[in-house]
Amino acid sequence: MRHLCVVIGLFLASAALRGYAESAKENELKDFIASHVEKIKPLDKQANLAWWDAYTTGNANAYDRLSELTLQIRRIYSDPKDFAFLKGMKESKQVKDPLLARQLTVLYNAYLANQIEPELLKQIVELGTQIEKNFSTFRGTIDGKKVTDNEIKDILKDETDSAKRQKAWLASKQVGAAVAADLVRLVKLRNEAARKLGFDNYHTMALATGEQNVKELDKIFADLYQRTNKPFAKVKAELDQVLAKKYGVSPDQLMPWHYHDPFFQETPMVYDLDLDVYYQDKDVKKLAEQFYAGLGLPVDAILAHSDLYEKEGKNPHAFCTHIDREGDVRILCNLKNNENWMETILHELGHGVYDKYLDYGTPYLLRSPAHPLTTEAIAMFFGRLSRHPAWMQQMLGLSDVQRAEIEKVGGKYAQLKQLIFARWDMVMYHFEKGLYANPDQDLTKLWWDLVEKYQLVKRPPHRTNPDWAAKIHFAAAPCYYHNYLLGELLASQWHHTLVSKVLALKSDKGVSYVGQAKAGQFLKEKVFEAGDLYPWNEMIKRSTGEPLTAKYFVDQFVK
Ligand SMILES: [Zn+2]
């Protein structure tokens, strides 16, 4: 189009001028991007390598290097002159080339998130760090005796005496009272920063920098709420029957401490299901390697660079990192041969194949997953298979009798797990929205109103303790929790597309994805190679035919 303009411009001077002005702006942006990438690319790589060293060895120097590099990167993105340039570019509406326009959006959002005034940012970081430190060092007490989180968890898992359970649950909430006032202060500081940048509050701003908005999320959450109301009430009533019997109370006497974790976010293991026995004599690394090879998405190069087993000083959790956006993808695990680590390695390698099979021909700034929720969805999609009866039968060579045994309990457990998590995530999303919209309201009341509405768990009478503040995510990972649920919905939406369109099957009964290279090819072409070329919901629409919806999650787990 622009080339044509030059020719026609000989006859239409004004059009030629417009054409010239456009390409001048675009050229200016191209130069900006080139020099930005030249600065940021080596720093990103060094920071990722420092992170890798720090997390795999615990080395203090590596941690220092990491925070120094993180600061350097942050300095680049907080430059007000550069931000003004990008803002002007955006407002000029003269960047028409889609690839350039997309890079502009991605850069603009990255800069926007870092435009908080230095003095205010310092206060926010310091207060946030202080709260996280209080979280790590706080110990609740039972009858005046300090207890660890693990001791509380054990009591909530196994204890049958209601009074003892209540004490453990109350101990788990004591941290809330210790940090609530600071948390509210932090929320207000974050809001102040967001208002200076033209947003209603920090929640709105955090969503906007991730190309999300409240209206769009409200719609998805409301739909899922409607669709899960009856089924959740039904499985919850069944669960309550089992729990009540175990504790010798009637179902209407059940209180928050009768569930198996402090927030009722996990599934109480009351239906006998021990999947570890199927994995204990196997090698979860080999199983994962074989499975991904069968999809046509080999992971041997990832595994060769990875750090897979426990060692002194190493971080005990699991991660995936793309060091250089050039294909150096690594995972960190602490593998054991059990179901949990089977899930985890499938999950991390899900992130891994997304990064590994990006299109390296796309510009550096767009060479990443479309959104944290889209890579999380791929990871969840694969992680779910570790409990899937057909997948287990094929990968582990189980008999039909064994498979039927897993199916009997496994299906119910999967449904319960997804429903419990979905209803819990609704509490988190709506609470965080309310918290930032009005931090001065009665937050304890808001919290319990939401818990009663979504989780169907009764509030203890006359409760004034700020129980919401016992959740560390409000401090450490603000306005992010909703992405976990959106990831689950998307994993089901891709599952539906793969079953009905790619594999052309009438139902997903028995679909294990083992050896299904067609499925791997679809994900590679429609999801991984799309990178960050499109906003996340547009990519979802392009790959599945419709924007993100709760429909298929409900199809898969509720019906
Ligand atoms: Zn993940």
Short mmCIF file of all heavy atoms in Angstrom, two decimals, residues 16-69:
data_model
loop_
_atom_site.label_atom_id
_atom_site.label_comp_id
_atom_site.label_asym_id
_atom_site.label_seq_id
_atom_site.Cartn_x
_atom_site.Cartn_y
_atom_site.Cartn_z
N ALA A 16 0.56 11.86 -1.44
CA ALA A 16 1.97 11.51 -1.37
C ALA A 16 2.57 12.00 -0.05
O ALA A 16 3.34 11.31 0.59
CB ALA A 16 2.72 12.12 -2.55
N LEU A 17 2.15 13.21 0.34
CA LEU A 17 2.66 13.76 1.59
C LEU A 17 2.24 12.91 2.78
O LEU A 17 3.00 12.63 3.68
CB LEU A 17 2.14 15.20 1.77
CG LEU A 17 2.96 16.26 1.05
CD1 LEU A 17 2.28 17.62 1.17
CD2 LEU A 17 4.39 16.32 1.60
N ARG A 18 0.95 12.51 2.73
CA ARG A 18 0.47 11.64 3.80
C ARG A 18 1.29 10.36 3.85
O ARG A 18 1.72 9.92 4.89
CB ARG A 18 -1.00 11.31 3.60
CG ARG A 18 -1.93 12.13 4.48
CD ARG A 18 -3.24 11.43 4.76
NE ARG A 18 -3.86 10.80 3.61
CZ ARG A 18 -4.61 11.45 2.71
NH1 ARG A 18 -4.82 12.74 2.81
NH2 ARG A 18 -5.16 10.78 1.71
N GLY A 19 1.50 9.81 2.67
CA GLY A 19 2.28 8.57 2.58
C GLY A 19 3.67 8.77 3.14
O GLY A 19 4.17 7.98 3.92
N TYR A 20 4.26 9.91 2.80
CA TYR A 20 5.61 10.20 3.26
C TYR A 20 5.64 10.33 4.79
O TYR A 20 6.48 9.76 5.47
CB TYR A 20 6.12 11.48 2.60
CG TYR A 20 7.49 11.86 3.07
CD1 TYR A 20 8.61 11.15 2.66
CD2 TYR A 20 7.64 12.91 3.98
CE1 TYR A 20 9.87 11.48 3.12
CE2 TYR A 20 8.90 13.25 4.44
CZ TYR A 20 10.01 12.53 4.02
OH TYR A 20 11.25 12.86 4.49
N ALA A 21 4.64 11.10 5.31
CA ALA A 21 4.59 11.31 6.75
C ALA A 21 4.46 9.98 7.49
O ALA A 21 5.12 9.75 8.49
CB ALA A 21 3.41 12.22 7.11
N GLU A 22 3.60 9.12 6.97
CA GLU A 22 3.41 7.82 7.62
C GLU A 22 4.72 7.06 7.71
O GLU A 22 5.12 6.59 8.75
CB GLU A 22 2.43 6.98 6.80
CG GLU A 22 0.99 7.22 7.18
CD GLU A 22 0.06 6.44 6.29
OE1 GLU A 22 0.45 5.36 5.81
OE2 GLU A 22 -1.04 6.95 6.07
N SER A 23 5.39 6.95 6.57
CA SER A 23 6.58 6.12 6.61
C SER A 23 7.69 6.78 7.43
O SER A 23 8.52 6.10 8.00
CB SER A 23 7.03 5.76 5.19
OG SER A 23 7.56 6.90 4.58
N ALA A 24 7.65 8.11 7.53
CA ALA A 24 8.64 8.78 8.38
C ALA A 24 8.44 8.38 9.83
O ALA A 24 9.37 8.02 10.54
CB ALA A 24 8.53 10.29 8.24
N LYS A 25 7.17 8.42 10.28
CA LYS A 25 6.86 7.99 11.65
C LYS A 25 7.28 6.53 11.86
O LYS A 25 7.85 6.17 12.88
CB LYS A 25 5.34 8.10 11.90
CG LYS A 25 4.91 9.48 12.36
CD LYS A 25 5.04 9.61 13.87
CE LYS A 25 4.60 10.98 14.32
NZ LYS A 25 5.34 11.49 15.46
N GLU A 26 6.92 5.73 10.88
CA GLU A 26 7.24 4.30 11.03
C GLU A 26 8.74 4.07 11.06
O GLU A 26 9.23 3.22 11.80
CB GLU A 26 6.57 3.51 9.90
CG GLU A 26 5.05 3.47 10.08
CD GLU A 26 4.33 2.62 9.05
OE1 GLU A 26 4.86 2.47 7.94
OE2 GLU A 26 3.23 2.12 9.37
N ASN A 27 9.46 4.84 10.24
CA ASN A 27 10.92 4.70 10.27
C ASN A 27 11.51 5.11 11.60
O ASN A 27 12.43 4.47 12.11
CB ASN A 27 11.56 5.52 9.14
CG ASN A 27 11.41 4.80 7.80
OD1 ASN A 27 11.27 3.57 7.77
ND2 ASN A 27 11.41 5.56 6.72
N GLU A 28 10.95 6.17 12.15
CA GLU A 28 11.39 6.63 13.47
C GLU A 28 11.20 5.53 14.51
O GLU A 28 12.07 5.26 15.34
CB GLU A 28 10.53 7.83 13.86
CG GLU A 28 11.26 9.08 14.30
CD GLU A 28 10.25 10.12 14.76
OE1 GLU A 28 9.42 10.56 13.93
OE2 GLU A 28 10.27 10.46 15.95
N LEU A 29 10.02 4.89 14.43
CA LEU A 29 9.72 3.81 15.37
C LEU A 29 10.66 2.63 15.15
O LEU A 29 11.14 2.02 16.11
CB LEU A 29 8.26 3.38 15.22
CG LEU A 29 7.81 2.22 16.13
CD1 LEU A 29 7.99 2.57 17.61
CD2 LEU A 29 6.36 1.84 15.85
N LYS A 30 10.92 2.32 13.89
CA LYS A 30 11.83 1.21 13.57
C LYS A 30 13.19 1.44 14.21
O LYS A 30 13.78 0.52 14.79
CB LYS A 30 12.01 1.09 12.04
CG LYS A 30 11.07 0.09 11.40
CD LYS A 30 11.45 -0.08 9.94
CE LYS A 30 10.21 -0.44 9.14
NZ LYS A 30 10.33 -0.11 7.73
N ASP A 31 13.68 2.67 14.11
CA ASP A 31 14.99 2.99 14.70
C ASP A 31 14.94 2.84 16.22
O ASP A 31 15.87 2.31 16.84
CB ASP A 31 15.40 4.44 14.37
CG ASP A 31 15.76 4.58 12.89
OD1 ASP A 31 15.97 3.53 12.24
OD2 ASP A 31 15.81 5.73 12.40
N PHE A 32 13.84 3.33 16.80
CA PHE A 32 13.70 3.22 18.26
C PHE A 32 13.74 1.74 18.67
O PHE A 32 14.45 1.37 19.61
CB PHE A 32 12.38 3.86 18.71
CG PHE A 32 12.16 3.78 20.19
CD1 PHE A 32 12.59 4.81 21.03
CD2 PHE A 32 11.56 2.66 20.77
CE1 PHE A 32 12.40 4.74 22.41
CE2 PHE A 32 11.38 2.57 22.15
CZ PHE A 32 11.79 3.62 22.96
N ILE A 33 12.96 0.92 17.96
CA ILE A 33 12.89 -0.50 18.31
C ILE A 33 14.27 -1.15 18.17
O ILE A 33 14.71 -1.91 19.05
CB ILE A 33 11.84 -1.23 17.43
CG1 ILE A 33 10.44 -0.76 17.81
CG2 ILE A 33 11.96 -2.75 17.58
CD1 ILE A 33 9.34 -1.26 16.88
N ALA A 34 14.96 -0.82 17.08
CA ALA A 34 16.28 -1.43 16.86
C ALA A 34 17.23 -1.10 18.01
O ALA A 34 17.91 -1.99 18.54
CB ALA A 34 16.86 -0.95 15.53
N SER A 35 17.24 0.16 18.42
CA SER A 35 18.20 0.49 19.49
C SER A 35 17.73 -0.06 20.83
O SER A 35 18.53 -0.44 21.68
CB SER A 35 18.48 2.00 19.52
OG SER A 35 17.55 2.65 20.32
N HIS A 36 16.42 -0.12 21.02
CA HIS A 36 15.89 -0.72 22.25
C HIS A 36 16.28 -2.20 22.35
O HIS A 36 16.75 -2.66 23.39
CB HIS A 36 14.36 -0.57 22.29
CG HIS A 36 13.72 -1.29 23.44
ND1 HIS A 36 13.67 -0.77 24.71
CD2 HIS A 36 13.13 -2.51 23.51
CE1 HIS A 36 13.07 -1.63 25.52
NE2 HIS A 36 12.73 -2.69 24.80
N VAL A 37 16.07 -2.92 21.26
CA VAL A 37 16.36 -4.36 21.28
C VAL A 37 17.86 -4.59 21.48
O VAL A 37 18.27 -5.50 22.21
CB VAL A 37 15.85 -5.05 19.98
CG1 VAL A 37 16.37 -6.48 19.88
CG2 VAL A 37 14.33 -5.05 19.95
N GLU A 38 18.66 -3.73 20.88
CA GLU A 38 20.11 -3.87 21.04
C GLU A 38 20.52 -3.76 22.52
O GLU A 38 21.41 -4.44 22.99
CB GLU A 38 20.79 -2.76 20.23
CG GLU A 38 22.22 -3.08 19.84
CD GLU A 38 22.80 -1.95 19.00
OE1 GLU A 38 22.19 -1.62 17.96
OE2 GLU A 38 23.82 -1.38 19.41
N LYS A 39 19.82 -2.86 23.25
CA LYS A 39 20.10 -2.69 24.68
C LYS A 39 19.55 -3.85 25.51
O LYS A 39 20.18 -4.39 26.40
CB LYS A 39 19.44 -1.39 25.19
CG LYS A 39 20.30 -0.15 25.09
CD LYS A 39 19.59 1.06 25.74
CE LYS A 39 18.36 1.44 24.95
NZ LYS A 39 17.66 2.64 25.36
N ILE A 40 18.28 -4.21 25.20
CA ILE A 40 17.54 -5.08 26.10
C ILE A 40 17.90 -6.57 25.91
O ILE A 40 17.87 -7.36 26.85
CB ILE A 40 16.01 -4.84 25.94
CG1 ILE A 40 15.28 -5.11 27.23
CG2 ILE A 40 15.40 -5.66 24.84
CD1 ILE A 40 15.41 -4.07 28.26
N LYS A 41 18.26 -6.93 24.69
CA LYS A 41 18.49 -8.34 24.38
C LYS A 41 19.63 -8.95 25.22
O LYS A 41 19.41 -9.97 25.88
CB LYS A 41 18.78 -8.47 22.88
CG LYS A 41 18.60 -9.86 22.33
CD LYS A 41 18.74 -9.83 20.80
CE LYS A 41 19.09 -11.20 20.30
NZ LYS A 41 19.26 -11.23 18.84
N PRO A 42 20.81 -8.32 25.25
CA PRO A 42 21.87 -8.91 26.07
C PRO A 42 21.55 -8.87 27.56
O PRO A 42 21.88 -9.80 28.31
CB PRO A 42 23.10 -8.06 25.76
CG PRO A 42 22.61 -6.83 25.09
CD PRO A 42 21.29 -7.16 24.48
N LEU A 43 20.84 -7.81 28.00
CA LEU A 43 20.50 -7.70 29.42
C LEU A 43 19.52 -8.79 29.83
O LEU A 43 19.65 -9.41 30.89
CB LEU A 43 19.89 -6.33 29.72
CG LEU A 43 20.86 -5.16 29.87
CD1 LEU A 43 20.08 -3.87 30.06
CD2 LEU A 43 21.81 -5.39 31.04
N ASP A 44 18.50 -9.01 29.00
CA ASP A 44 17.53 -10.08 29.26
C ASP A 44 18.23 -11.42 29.40
O ASP A 44 17.94 -12.20 30.30
CB ASP A 44 16.52 -10.17 28.11
CG ASP A 44 15.29 -9.31 28.35
OD1 ASP A 44 15.10 -8.87 29.50
OD2 ASP A 44 14.54 -9.06 27.38
N LYS A 45 19.15 -11.66 28.48
CA LYS A 45 19.83 -12.95 28.48
C LYS A 45 20.68 -13.11 29.74
O LYS A 45 20.61 -14.14 30.42
CB LYS A 45 20.71 -13.07 27.23
CG LYS A 45 21.39 -14.41 27.10
CD LYS A 45 22.12 -14.56 25.78
CE LYS A 45 22.94 -15.85 25.81
NZ LYS A 45 23.62 -16.08 24.53
N GLN A 46 21.43 -12.05 30.07
CA GLN A 46 22.25 -12.14 31.29
C GLN A 46 21.39 -12.30 32.54
O GLN A 46 21.75 -13.05 33.45
CB GLN A 46 23.10 -10.87 31.45
CG GLN A 46 24.27 -10.77 30.49
CD GLN A 46 24.89 -9.37 30.55
OE1 GLN A 46 25.11 -8.83 31.62
NE2 GLN A 46 25.12 -8.79 29.39
N ALA A 47 20.26 -11.58 32.56
CA ALA A 47 19.38 -11.68 33.74
C ALA A 47 18.82 -13.10 33.85
O ALA A 47 18.75 -13.67 34.94
CB ALA A 47 18.25 -10.66 33.64
N ASN A 48 18.42 -13.67 32.72
CA ASN A 48 17.87 -15.02 32.75
C ASN A 48 18.93 -16.04 33.18
O ASN A 48 18.63 -16.98 33.92
CB ASN A 48 17.30 -15.42 31.39
CG ASN A 48 16.01 -14.67 31.09
OD1 ASN A 48 15.29 -14.26 32.01
ND2 ASN A 48 15.72 -14.46 29.81
N LEU A 49 20.16 -15.83 32.73
CA LEU A 49 21.24 -16.74 33.14
C LEU A 49 21.55 -16.58 34.63
O LEU A 49 21.78 -17.57 35.33
CB LEU A 49 22.51 -16.47 32.31
CG LEU A 49 22.45 -17.00 30.87
CD1 LEU A 49 23.65 -16.47 30.06
CD2 LEU A 49 22.42 -18.52 30.83
N ALA A 50 21.51 -15.33 35.11
CA ALA A 50 21.75 -15.10 36.54
C ALA A 50 20.65 -15.76 37.36
O ALA A 50 20.90 -16.39 38.40
CB ALA A 50 21.80 -13.60 36.84
N TRP A 51 19.40 -15.62 36.88
CA TRP A 51 18.26 -16.27 37.55
C TRP A 51 18.48 -17.78 37.61
O TRP A 51 18.27 -18.42 38.64
CB TRP A 51 16.97 -15.95 36.78
CG TRP A 51 15.77 -16.63 37.35
CD1 TRP A 51 14.96 -16.16 38.33
CD2 TRP A 51 15.27 -17.93 37.01
NE1 TRP A 51 13.98 -17.08 38.62
CE2 TRP A 51 14.16 -18.17 37.83
CE3 TRP A 51 15.66 -18.92 36.10
CZ2 TRP A 51 13.42 -19.35 37.77
CZ3 TRP A 51 14.94 -20.10 36.04
CH2 TRP A 51 13.83 -20.31 36.86
N TRP A 52 18.91 -18.32 36.49
CA TRP A 52 19.13 -19.78 36.41
C TRP A 52 20.18 -20.21 37.42
O TRP A 52 19.99 -21.18 38.17
CB TRP A 52 19.55 -20.14 34.98
CG TRP A 52 19.78 -21.61 34.79
CD1 TRP A 52 20.99 -22.24 34.71
CD2 TRP A 52 18.78 -22.63 34.67
NE1 TRP A 52 20.81 -23.60 34.54
CE2 TRP A 52 19.45 -23.85 34.51
CE3 TRP A 52 17.38 -22.62 34.68
CZ2 TRP A 52 18.78 -25.07 34.36
CZ3 TRP A 52 16.71 -23.84 34.53
CH2 TRP A 52 17.40 -25.03 34.37
N ASP A 53 21.30 -19.48 37.47
CA ASP A 53 22.36 -19.78 38.44
C ASP A 53 21.83 -19.70 39.87
O ASP A 53 22.07 -20.58 40.69
CB ASP A 53 23.52 -18.77 38.32
CG ASP A 53 24.47 -19.16 37.21
OD1 ASP A 53 24.26 -20.24 36.61
OD2 ASP A 53 25.39 -18.37 36.92
N ALA A 54 21.11 -18.60 40.13
CA ALA A 54 20.61 -18.38 41.49
C ALA A 54 19.67 -19.51 41.91
O ALA A 54 19.80 -20.06 43.00
CB ALA A 54 19.89 -17.04 41.57
N TYR A 55 18.75 -19.86 41.04
CA TYR A 55 17.72 -20.84 41.41
C TYR A 55 18.24 -22.27 41.42
O TYR A 55 17.72 -23.11 42.14
CB TYR A 55 16.49 -20.70 40.50
CG TYR A 55 15.53 -19.66 41.03
CD1 TYR A 55 15.95 -18.34 41.20
CD2 TYR A 55 14.23 -19.99 41.38
CE1 TYR A 55 15.09 -17.38 41.70
CE2 TYR A 55 13.35 -19.05 41.88
CZ TYR A 55 13.79 -17.76 42.04
OH TYR A 55 12.93 -16.80 42.55
N THR A 56 19.25 -22.58 40.61
CA THR A 56 19.74 -23.96 40.60
C THR A 56 20.84 -24.20 41.64
O THR A 56 21.09 -25.34 42.00
CB THR A 56 20.27 -24.39 39.21
OG1 THR A 56 21.25 -23.43 38.78
CG2 THR A 56 19.15 -24.47 38.19
N THR A 57 21.50 -23.11 42.10
CA THR A 57 22.60 -23.32 43.05
C THR A 57 22.38 -22.65 44.40
O THR A 57 22.98 -23.04 45.39
CB THR A 57 23.92 -22.74 42.50
OG1 THR A 57 23.76 -21.32 42.38
CG2 THR A 57 24.29 -23.35 41.16
N GLY A 58 21.54 -21.61 44.44
CA GLY A 58 21.37 -20.85 45.68
C GLY A 58 22.53 -19.89 45.93
O GLY A 58 22.61 -19.26 46.98
N ASN A 59 23.41 -19.77 44.96
CA ASN A 59 24.61 -18.93 45.08
C ASN A 59 24.25 -17.45 45.30
O ASN A 59 23.50 -16.85 44.53
CB ASN A 59 25.41 -19.10 43.79
CG ASN A 59 26.70 -18.32 43.80
OD1 ASN A 59 26.70 -17.11 44.04
ND2 ASN A 59 27.80 -19.00 43.55
N ALA A 60 24.82 -16.86 46.38
CA ALA A 60 24.46 -15.48 46.75
C ALA A 60 24.90 -14.47 45.69
O ALA A 60 24.20 -13.49 45.42
CB ALA A 60 25.08 -15.13 48.10
N ASN A 61 26.07 -14.71 45.06
CA ASN A 61 26.53 -13.79 44.00
C ASN A 61 25.56 -13.76 42.84
O ASN A 61 25.32 -12.71 42.24
CB ASN A 61 27.90 -14.23 43.47
CG ASN A 61 28.97 -14.02 44.50
OD1 ASN A 61 28.85 -13.15 45.36
ND2 ASN A 61 30.03 -14.83 44.43
N ALA A 62 25.02 -14.93 42.51
CA ALA A 62 24.07 -14.99 41.40
C ALA A 62 22.82 -14.18 41.73
O ALA A 62 22.28 -13.48 40.88
CB ALA A 62 23.71 -16.45 41.08
N TYR A 63 22.37 -14.26 42.99
CA TYR A 63 21.20 -13.47 43.39
C TYR A 63 21.49 -11.97 43.28
O TYR A 63 20.66 -11.20 42.82
CB TYR A 63 20.76 -13.83 44.83
CG TYR A 63 19.84 -15.02 44.88
CD1 TYR A 63 20.30 -16.27 45.25
CD2 TYR A 63 18.49 -14.89 44.54
CE1 TYR A 63 19.46 -17.38 45.29
CE2 TYR A 63 17.63 -15.98 44.58
CZ TYR A 63 18.13 -17.23 44.96
OH TYR A 63 17.28 -18.29 44.98
N ASP A 64 22.72 -11.57 43.69
CA ASP A 64 23.09 -10.16 43.58
C ASP A 64 23.10 -9.72 42.12
O ASP A 64 22.61 -8.64 41.77
CB ASP A 64 24.50 -9.91 44.17
CG ASP A 64 24.48 -10.03 45.69
OD1 ASP A 64 23.36 -10.06 46.26
OD2 ASP A 64 25.56 -10.12 46.30
N ARG A 65 23.71 -10.56 41.26
CA ARG A 65 23.76 -10.23 39.83
C ARG A 65 22.34 -10.08 39.28
O ARG A 65 22.04 -9.16 38.52
CB ARG A 65 24.49 -11.36 39.09
CG ARG A 65 25.76 -10.88 38.47
CD ARG A 65 26.53 -11.87 37.61
NE ARG A 65 25.98 -13.13 37.28
CZ ARG A 65 26.33 -14.29 37.86
NH1 ARG A 65 27.20 -14.30 38.85
NH2 ARG A 65 25.80 -15.43 37.47
N LEU A 66 21.47 -11.01 39.70
CA LEU A 66 20.09 -10.98 39.22
C LEU A 66 19.40 -9.68 39.61
O LEU A 66 18.77 -9.03 38.77
CB LEU A 66 19.31 -12.18 39.78
CG LEU A 66 17.82 -12.23 39.47
CD1 LEU A 66 17.59 -12.30 37.96
CD2 LEU A 66 17.16 -13.44 40.13
N SER A 67 19.56 -9.24 40.87
CA SER A 67 18.82 -8.02 41.24
C SER A 67 19.44 -6.79 40.57
O SER A 67 18.72 -5.87 40.19
CB SER A 67 18.68 -7.87 42.75
OG SER A 67 19.93 -7.86 43.36
N GLU A 68 20.77 -6.79 40.38
CA GLU A 68 21.42 -5.69 39.68
C GLU A 68 20.91 -5.60 38.22
O GLU A 68 20.54 -4.52 37.73
CB GLU A 68 22.94 -5.89 39.72
CG GLU A 68 23.77 -4.99 38.82
CD GLU A 68 23.52 -3.49 39.05
OE1 GLU A 68 23.16 -3.10 40.18
OE2 GLU A 68 23.66 -2.74 38.07
N LEU A 69 20.85 -6.75 37.54
CA LEU A 69 20.39 -6.76 36.15
C LEU A 69 18.91 -6.39 36.04
O LEU A 69 18.49 -5.69 35.12
CB LEU A 69 20.64 -8.14 35.52
CG LEU A 69 22.12 -8.42 35.21
CD1 LEU A 69 22.39 -9.91 35.10
CD2 LEU A 69 22.53 -7.72 33.91
#
